[in-house]
Every structure is written in C-alpha cells, then in structure tokens.
Amino acid sequence: MPQPSLQAAYHPDRVLYPMKRTNPKDAPDPGWVRITWDEAYSTMAENYQELIDKYGGETIMMMSGTSRCWCMGAYGVFPLLFQSPNRVTPYQVCKGPRHFATLMQSSYAFSWQATVDKPRVMVRWGGSTEMSNYDDSCRMTVDSAKEADAFITVDPRLSNLGRESTIWQHLYPQTDGALALSWIHVVIENKLYDELFVKRWTDAPFLVCEEMGPTPGPMGAKMQAGFFQTMTRLVCESDLKEDGSPFRLMCWDAIQNSRALDTLVGITGNWDTPAGNRGGTTSFLRTIDVNFGGNVNMGGMGLNVQCVERPGEVEYDPVFNIKLHEAMGRPFSDDPKNPYPTEEEYCDWFVRASGMTWKQMVEKFQKDGWWDCKAMTLKSLEGDPEGWLDAGGTWGLYRRYQLGMLRPDKKPGLTTPTGKLEIWSTVMETFYTDETDPLYNADEKYHDDPDYAGVEGHARDILPDWRPAPLGRAAAPEMEAEYPFICNTGRRIPVYFHSEHRQLPWCREQWPVPRIEMHPADAEKVGVKQGDWVWIENENGKIRQVVDLYEGIEPGVVNCEHQWWYPELNQMGHGFELSGVNCLVYRDVRDRHSASSYLRAYPVKVYKATPENSPFNNPVPCGEDGKEIITAGNDPRLKEWAVLNYGEGE
Amino acid sequence: MTQYAIVTDLNRCVGCLGCSVACKVLNGVPVGSYWNKVLRVGPFPTKEGATYPDVYTYWLPLQCQHCKNPECVKVCPTGASMKLADGTVQIDKSKCIGCQFCVMACPYGVRYLNEDEGVVEKCTLCEQKLAEGELPQCVAQCGARARFFGDLDEGIGNLKGAGKVAIGGDTSYEATMNTFCTLDEVVDPYSEGDIHHLTDVGNGPAVAYILRNGMWKGQE
C-alpha cells in the first residue's frame, strides 16, 4: 500500500532530529532533548564500545525491519560491526525457512516462482499475495491466477483470491507437509514425474545401503558456511572401488514442508523452468542488492530513487551505518584509502558494474523508465547488446544447473554437495546423525522418541518428512478441553504491511481494530457476535481482538491478525501486549533447523471481553491511563495525524 | 449521449481496498469520510444449506453510481447537484447550502456533509484526471486490475483499465500513465446475465459490476 507513504514521510509524530533521553528509563517522562548528529554518533559509539569491552560484542542484539533499503543494518553490516551473531530479523519467519530449505536441498531461494512467465498451473500454498505485499504483487497474483489453466489454492480458510480457485484444497492447519508428501506420492505412483530430471538431477536413483555406515561423501561448497565434508550413505564410487572417487555417486533406486514442496517442484519438472520455481534471477544488480536497486525479480529493473526531500535531519539509512562505523573507528569499506564513503560514493559503488555513476543511472531511469532484465546487459545499458553473461545476469536463462551457472565452482549441477536435488539430504545426514546430533546425544530419551528420531533410531529429517505439529490435536490432545480452538495467526490486512502503518490515517480508518475470524457456529457456542471484543488466551497470556464472523473458516479453527500495536497510546511499547498475537507464541517450540517460531495452529480459548473481566472495566483495550484505543475512522486522533509536518518542531 | 461509468469485475476484485485509499489520497477526502468503500459480501453458502467449505464471498466497491435519473439532482433545492453532459453527477460546491436533502435521497448512502466546508461531497469520477486524459484514481490504482472506466455507450468491453497487458515496450513514465488496456482484453468471458447493478428504484445506476455464476446477492 504505497499511497499513504506521504503520511508516513511527514507524520506529525515522526522523529526528525536525533534526540537524547535525559531522565532514567523507568521515568514516566523520558525528558527527550534535541542533540546534534555528532553527539548522537559519539554517544552511541562510546556506549556500544563500553558494552563490547565489558561483555563482548555478543551482548548486543540487533533487530531489523523487513525488505526495504532502510533499517536493514542487522541483516548486513551490524553483525560485523559489533561482532555479534545475535540478531532478530523477519527473515527468520518470512522467506528464510524456504530459502534455507532449498539451500540445503537444491539451491538457495529456489522457492520463488517465475509468475511473470505465466504458469499454466498456478499453485498457491498459503499466503495472500494479492493483498499482503507491496509493489505489483496484487496484480501479478491475480493476473497469473486468472490466466492459468488451473489455479490451485492450499489454505485452511477461504482467501480473497482463493475463492476463485479451480481447486481449493482446504486442509487442516499444520498438515501442509502431509499434503505435499501425499501429492508427491500420487505423482510417483502415477508416473507423472519428469523422469529425465529425476534420474539426472536428483539423488533419487542412488541406492541407500542400510548396512553401510556413513562414509565421506562429496565436498560441498555452501554459501555462507564455507566448505565442509559431508558424510553420506549414498553409495559413492569410492565405496565400491579402492581408488574410486567419492564425488561419483553410483547406483539406482519441513524446513521439511519447504523441502517437500521443493521436491514436488523438482520431480514434476518445474525446477528452474519457464514459469517454474527458479530462485533468484539477476541483472547486474545481485539479489542482495535488490533492496537498494529496486525490484529485479519481476523481470524489470528499477531504482530506488529518493523522490522527496528528507524532512528535518533525517539521514539515509546506509549513511547512518557508515557514520556509526566511523564513530566506532571501524572501516566501513574495504578500500583503505576511503574507509568511510559518502552517500554518493556508496551509491556509485553499488552500480559500478554499469559503467555509469548513480547520478547517470538515475537520469537514464527517469527518462526511459524500467529496464527489461531479459534484454538488459551491462554494456547494453550504454547501447552495446554484447557480453552480458560475463556480468552475471541470468534473466532469460532457464535450467541454469545445466550451464554451470549456479555453483561457485562453475560446474553443472545444483549447489548441494552432490550437485543434485537432494531428496535424501546429505547435509541433514551429516549434521543430524546419531553421532553428531548434540540433542540426540544429550539424552537417551530422544533415541526412542518417535517425534525426534526416525523409525530406525537414526536422527530424523534426512528425507522430507512430516509428523504432527507439537501442539496440534494429535500430538497434544490433552489441551483440547482447556483450549478448544486451534489458532492460526498472521491474517493479512490489505492496508497494512505486517506491523507497519497503524499510525497512518488513510490506513487506520479503513481497518481500525484487529479482527479474529471465527465460524458463526463457534461464535454462537461461546456467545459472541460480530464486532464483540474477545479475549484470546493460552498458557502464554491473553490478548483482545474483535470478532469477525467468517463462514470461510473451519469450525474449531480461528484466525487472528498479527502484529497489532497502538501508536495512539503514549506509553512504552505502545500497547503491543494488548492485541499482539505473538504474545501467545510458545517461545520454546521452534523449527529445529532454522529456529523459526511456531506461529500457527496453537490451542487457545476464546471468550467475550466484558467490563468485569477487562482492565478499566472496559472491553476495549486501553492505555495505562485508561484511554481507549482508536476504534473508528472518525476518531479525532486520526485527524491530528493527518496534519502533515514537513520538518517543523521535533 | 455519453455516460461515463466504472465497471468492476468482482471475480477479479480481491478486496485490497486500494481503490478506497487511492481515492482519498488524490481527492483530499476528510479522514473518516469516504467517496468509495469496499464491502465484503459473504462468505455465503454456494447452495441451500451448505456450509464450510462450500462457501463463496466477493467484495463490492461502492461509490456514487452516477445514475441516469439521479434522485439527488431532483431533490437539490439550489441546482448544486447536477447531471453533466458526460453522464457524471457533480456538485457545484459554490451553490451547495449543505441541506443534505441529497444525502437522504441517495439510495446508496454515498454522500456526506463535509462539516468543515458545510457542503456535501461524493465521488466525482476524478473529473480533474479525466480532463488530463487519465483514468479515475480508483481505476488507475486498482490492485487486481478489476476496474474499468469509460463511456457505457461505447460498450462495456471497451472500457479502459490501468496499463497495458503486454510486457515490455515503452516503459517511460508518460507511457505508463497514458497507455490503457480494455476490459475485454483483461477479464474472463462474461454474459449479459453476469452484468449487475445496485438496486434500481427508478434512478438508473450507471456503475456496473460483473459477477459470474449467479453469485450476485443484490436485488436489481
């Protein structure tokens, strides 16, 4: 929802100058005073350094927002600056698990689908990209779904676009992995798989010999992790011949959820094909530069160009990062002659491969518009259509594994240790054997625990598998009496992007309060009606949202909106604890491979909020001073927020 | 005779609310008032007695219907509300006395009193943009490209939507703003029976909706 950005840029509550707290943290009035940037940087540097000297860099925890060219420090430069791995980023629950899963099993981020190529069969598994994202995702999603011969939706609820599906697979929450594996099974049983791809580019044909222990397998070149030796029971030539190669594999034959889906994509011949799942494609800007450069994944490349003056003394995020480095005496760039580049130098560096300066590129962009990535070459930017492969652009090229374009060693293959799509993952096998898995070794109880170990007693998850969710009805039936509803979270709200924009009048008036979707039969059971505030409670706490009767959800399942906070409450935390559904998340239940939180399908109870059971005798959430949150579009506080501030005051 | 109107393909509309927000950004509509709201209809059973998962829902963007015989114009005591030659219904704010007869007469509740200015306001079909050869903002910014604008007398299929269908070509800003697709190029096939209007009590709403497969819940 880019249109209300005006209200974000010039919001009257926006901080326009560096500010310093002058009262202690627990004081009711922080006593903010305006300071210079110099003082701000030196204060930050001094205090960070003190903490690092005293406790080590790991004492600093960083957080970043989502996919933008600002507030991205925790993704990139801050871990290096502070020498701390302790960062929290949305990536951990967003695209991350899909990217990590494909990184282990096939190639990094091959969860992307080339919708721009117009798939004949469009499968949408969860998600609501028609309204959850910015840019052109709504139109791209609707166009792709409508133009496909078949549009298949997998979702526990009737979704905005899902209602137009050829097939709506309305599965029970947390059974996605089982459905994916079943789908694979049907494909295999009916010989619907792409035989050539399966034989040549997956490890399916290699015999797994149960009698053999793991032997040194292929070396893998992994992004970020460097080189490591895999240990695999896939039979290598070296297992059979004395001088055989460990790199030649011989015979015939969730993270896990994402792996199952990646497998499904692979065996059906949709891996790096037109309209298939094909991971990042690049222009001369690489995937990691996307936030800087613009969106290259859709087949066009634009630039993120500053289009309004920054109000007050607001600084460009990368400049903030550079200046913090400077204040801490750590070089930002690897050029010893210019360790602290200016904003212009920094931008020039990013586009250096074009042979143009940033300023020249911006001028060209503003004159001619978006570049077509398939036609774009480095030299073509200057009018010469030759030579773009050398520059690393991969748009318009498919089946790149055949061309040696995916692996750092330039050999054909995927980026896994074996170069195959590893349905039997040598990475999982190596890191989670009986011998090496620290948890498995920590306590013998895990050896017989079917939720943890495989049926043979070996650590699980070498193959994409599925087992009931730890808090689901099958695994934790005892919770049903107390907590009769299975709560899905993360219902997307079209006018907001995740936790953002609750302070923008043009958004908030459309959707003033958080809503919980509930089947009318369930609502009748617990005695609530449309528009009632209800408590949603589990062992971790309780929050309030407003009932939205919705026949498109299965009885027994409720669906909450995520990430609510109330900027109108002038208090620490802005009341996130009043309605933020993540307050109900179990902190100790996580994906053991990527540490992603268990954000869906946990048991809750739902009951009406009444004056008797609510703080301030008010079912509507209130601030610490007892004042109600904004609940309607005509709230005068929204009118105050609509008065734009172009740089006055603090 | 010209009759400007908007037609929305409700099988494409996904309730993104983009039209409603875009309208406010462009037209300076006061916070808490709307020229264009999006209503959710349903989910409702697809057949008698059905329940989850046999349910369906759709979204209904609701604004001034730019009626052929507008009630609001008939009741206006000063001639502020008027029907123009292009078929749109407009308000001359200099003549409006804020009596709100029109607000009460409108069958669709799409007019409101701007209390600061003491005059009634509603959708203008972005006449300032039409004058520049552009589309109403709710059409230009429709996320799903479900909305189309133009003269009904030229046929619904020729109404214009945002952007072009093909990828590539001239991507300059000017071309992006001034190249349009047509309804028939974009939407799935539809029959006359799939074209719907809000309930007509003699006022003849010009704005129309396409919804296929007999799912329309309105009474025409």
Side-chain angles (χ1 to χ4, degrees), chain A residues 355-375:
Chain A
M356 285 187 268
T357 64
W358 172 249
K359 196 161 169 252
Q360 289 167 331
M361 278 208 83
V362 168
E363 275 167 19
K364 195 166 174 57
F365 175 48
Q366 297 200 316
K367 180 167 161 284
D368 301 332
W370 286 59
W371 286 271
D372 179 347
C373 287
K374 286 185 181 174

Side-chain angles (χ1 to χ4, degrees), chain B residues 158-214:
Chain B
N158 292 316
L159 298 194
K160 291 181 174 60
K164 59 196 170 187
V165 175
I167 293 170
D170 187 348
T171 58
S172 68
Y173 180 80
E174 288 299 315
T176 306
M177 291 302 287
N178 297 311
T179 312
F180 307 124
C181 57
T182 66
L183 182 143
D184 276 354
E185 281 177 324
V186 174
V187 311
D188 287 342
Y190 56 94
S191 67
E192 280 300 307
D194 296 329
I195 300 170
H196 307 280
H197 297 84
L198 296 186
T199 303
D200 183 359
V201 290
N203 46 301
V207 167
Y209 304 91
I210 296 172
L211 186 65
R212 300 163 187 79
N213 306 326

Side-chain angles (χ1 to χ4, degrees), chain A residues 229-305:
Chain A
Q229 177 83 52
T230 57
M231 299 288 283
T232 181
R233 284 196 287 166
L234 294 178
V235 179
C236 312
E237 191 186 47
S238 56
D239 294 324
L240 306 176
K241 292 201 319 200
E242 202 165 317
D243 57 346
S245 164
F247 304 105
R248 191 172 296 160
L249 302 170
M250 295 305 292
C251 309
W252 233 130
D253 174 55
I255 292 288
Q256 295 299 85
N257 286 356
S258 296
R259 287 184 59 207
L261 293 171
D262 189 40
T263 303
L264 187 56
V265 167
I267 68 170
T268 52
N270 289 302
W271 207 89
D272 207 23
T273 56
N277 288 69
R278 52 184 320 240
T281 41
T282 58
S283 63
F284 80 91
L285 284 176
R286 299 160 302 158
T287 312
I288 59 164
D289 302 334
V290 164
N291 288 304
F292 177 85
N295 199 334
V296 297
N297 283 319
M298 298 295 179
M301 189 192 81
L303 299 173
N304 281 331
V305 180

Side-chain angles (χ1 to χ4, degrees), chain A residues 486-498:
Chain A
I486 289 291
C487 178
N488 270 345
T489 76
R491 177 188 180 186
R492 294 298 189 262
I493 312 159
V495 289
Y496 301 128
F497 185 59
H498 298 298

Side-chain angles (χ1 to χ4, degrees), chain B residues 142-159:
Chain B
C142 175
R145 195 149 58 188
R147 283 165 82 77
F148 301 86
F149 164 83
D151 180 6
L152 290 180
D153 293 346
E154 290 176 15
I156 278 183
N158 292 316
L159 298 194

Side-chain angles (χ1 to χ4, degrees), chain A residues 283-396:
Chain A
S283 63
F284 80 91
L285 284 176
R286 299 160 302 158
T287 312
I288 59 164
D289 302 334
V290 164
N291 288 304
F292 177 85
N295 199 334
V296 297
N297 283 319
M298 298 295 179
M301 189 192 81
L303 299 173
N304 281 331
V305 180
Q306 181 186 342
C307 50
V308 297
E309 291 298 318
R310 294 166 196 151
E313 287 181 9
V314 168
E315 288 229 292
Y316 185 39
D317 203 51
V319 172
F320 175 89
N321 297 343
I322 293 166
K323 289 192 175 170
L324 186 58
H325 276 72
E326 189 170 11
M328 293 184 72
R330 309 262 209 295
F332 180 86
S333 83
D334 58 4
D335 177 2
K337 291 200 288 291
N338 188 15
Y340 308 112
T342 63
E343 180 175 339
E344 193 179 356
E345 288 166 343
Y346 174 85
C347 292
D348 286 347
W349 180 84
F350 258 98
V351 300
R352 65 198 182 285
S354 69
M356 285 187 268
T357 64
W358 172 249
K359 196 161 169 252
Q360 289 167 331
M361 278 208 83
V362 168
E363 275 167 19
K364 195 166 174 57
F365 175 48
Q366 297 200 316
K367 180 167 161 284
D368 301 332
W370 286 59
W371 286 271
D372 179 347
C373 287
K374 286 185 181 174
M376 184 174 64
T377 72
L378 274 186
K379 291 178 181 172
S380 76
L381 291 171
E382 300 167 286
D384 178 354
E386 299 300 322
W388 72 291
L389 272 179
D390 292 339
T394 56
W395 257 100

Side-chain angles (χ1 to χ4, degrees), chain A residues 471 485-487 489 538 581 584-586 598-604:
Chain A
L471 302 171
F485 295 103
I486 289 291
C487 178
T489 76
N538 70 3
V581 78
L584 306 183
V585 164
Y586 288 78
Y598 183 90
L599 291 172
R600 295 204 174 87
Y602 42 81
V604 297

